[in-house]
Amino acid sequence: MELWLEEQLELANGRAMKMRVLETLDSFKSPFQQIDVFKTQAFGKVFTLDGIIMMTESDEFSYHEMITHVPMLSHPNPEYVLVVGGGDGGTVREVLKHSSVKEVHLCEIDKAVVDMSKKHFPSIAKAMSDKRVIHAYEDGAKYVKANKKKFDVIIIDSSDPIGPAAVLFSEGFYKAMHGALRETGFCSTQAESFFYHGDIIKSLFSFIPKIYKEYGYYWTAIPTYPSGIIGFTCLSNKLNPYNVVVDPKRVPKGLKYYSAEMHKAAFVLPEFAKSYIKRSN
Ligand code: SPD
């Protein structure tokens, strides 16, 4: 019998994007969530959490390059980086392409995600074994509040705001993140699609301007996420993300999506989405 992968949450909303599954490679429940890995006809290996697509071999570069290099290249010299979520290792892989980096703290609540990635996506996961990576298997919200260290760049590579990641979309968490950011620091956070999740984006930007002096929203194209795009917040306590001029010499070689040109273009929003982000430029 043919097997097709579809997100049940999207079906409940009356829409679907589906992919033909050739083989189920893994399927198990961790203490936090259901974890599945599939081999698909069109997108290579695919990893889902609670039935929601997190990463496919075919287009993960678009998401990981953009969630990472926009804040990393907005900062003049990022040395200390925190990644919350991101247990597949894709974001850590991109962070380590910057030679200025001294430490990457990876706070992933679910060790089973890291182990799954090492088993099924070894070329992506291998960055997590770099000696500059400090692992914490903890709730990201508690970690950010308790940790006394301040970071140059904080990246929230979370799943959607349901289940263990819901807290990462709360005002309390964004306040805690503000406290963990150095003065010239930048954060990027997974902030969903302006086509399908306007309510989530509006909710984030109802409190972001009260916490961060500077903020923006940018996006990337990614065929396997709902609506084919996903966006990110870009936050700073001091520097305006819209005024960043990327030094082309600092752009890592061999990227497939990010470029200085794409960095600038990614902040341009369609007319209907501009009102979701409360700023005049
Ligand atoms: N709608 C799914 C959004 C998932 C974003 N995070 C993916 C994690 C990849 N490192």
Side-chain angles (χ1 to χ4, degrees), residues 11-278:
L11 282 185
N13 288 324
R15 56 200 181 203
M17 195 288 282
K18 59 185 191 175
M19 44 182 88
R20 181 182 279 123
V21 172
L22 301 178
E23 197 184 342
T24 301
L25 300 172
D26 225 339
S27 182
F28 63 97
K29 218 171 170 55
S30 78
F32 297 97
Q33 53 213 336
Q34 173 67 32
I35 301 181
D36 292 287
V37 184
F38 305 99
K39 184 175 165 192
T40 67
Q41 177 185 351
F43 301 105
K45 284 192 214 170
V46 177
F47 138 60
T48 64
L49 288 180
D50 288 334
I52 296 176
I53 295 163
M54 291 293 121
M55 176 170 91
T56 86
E57 282 181 324
S58 68
D59 59 9
E60 58 83 18
F61 65 89
S62 154
Y63 175 86
H64 289 130
E65 288 186 15
M66 290 300 280
I67 199 172
T68 305
H69 300 304
V70 168
M72 291 296 284
L73 284 150
S74 297
H75 192 284
N77 184 39
E79 293 182 328
Y80 296 93
V81 179
L82 169 64
V83 177
V84 174
D88 49 63
T91 297
V92 170
R93 175 194 66 198
E94 296 304 318
V95 168
L96 291 174
K97 289 179 181 172
H98 295 265
S99 56
S100 58
V101 171
K102 293 187 171 151
E103 284 179 10
V104 190
H105 294 240
L106 174 63
C107 179
E108 163 62 63
I109 194 169
D110 194 348
K111 184 170 183 299
V113 173
V114 175
D115 295 338
M116 173 284 305
S117 193
K118 286 183 177 163
K119 181 172 170 197
H120 295 288
F121 302 93
S123 64
I124 296 172
K126 72 169 187 259
M128 292 188 286
S129 306
D130 188 285
K131 57 179 187 310
R132 289 167 290 173
V133 180
I134 297 157
H135 290 263
Y137 297 108
E138 283 175 48
D139 177 313
K142 290 191 185 138
Y143 184 82
V144 167
K145 272 191 198 129
N147 199 294
K148 295 282 170 283
K149 208 169 177 81
K150 297 235 180 195
F151 297 95
D152 297 310
V153 169
I154 301 177
I155 301 173
I156 309 303
D157 179 8
S158 72
S159 44
D160 297 328
I162 30 176
V167 66
L168 303 179
F169 289 74
S170 69
E171 182 168 356
F173 179 69
Y174 274 70
K175 275 189 185 145
M177 225 172 29
H178 176 274
L181 197 62
R182 287 181 167 175
E183 205 198 353
T184 53
F186 276 92
C187 301
S188 64
T189 69
Q190 193 273 94
E192 303 290 3
S193 157
F194 49 67
F195 277 115
Y196 286 3
H197 312 113
D199 52 339
I200 297 173
I201 301 170
K202 282 184 203 159
S203 152
L204 290 173
F205 282 92
S206 70
F207 54 75
I208 282 172
K210 294 189 270 177
I211 306 170
Y212 293 87
K213 189 162 168 278
E214 301 292 347
Y215 53 87
Y217 181 92
Y218 67 100
W219 59 285
T220 191
I222 179 156
T224 60
Y225 283 170
S227 84
I229 65 157
I230 196 159
F232 313 93
T233 72
C234 185
L235 315 170
S236 169
N237 295 332
K238 188 171 178 171
L239 303 169
N240 184 334
Y242 293 88
N243 293 342
V244 163
V245 179
V246 174
D247 174 359
K249 290 195 289 300
R250 286 185 52 219
V251 176
K253 301 277 175 281
L255 300 182
K256 288 162 78 178
Y257 193 100
Y258 179 94
S259 63
E261 215 180 359
M262 191 52 92
H263 184 138
K264 205 157 185 56
F267 283 88
V268 179
L269 298 180
E271 283 306 308
F272 76 89
K274 284 183 183 166
S275 64
Y276 300 169
I277 289 87
K278 289 189 193 152

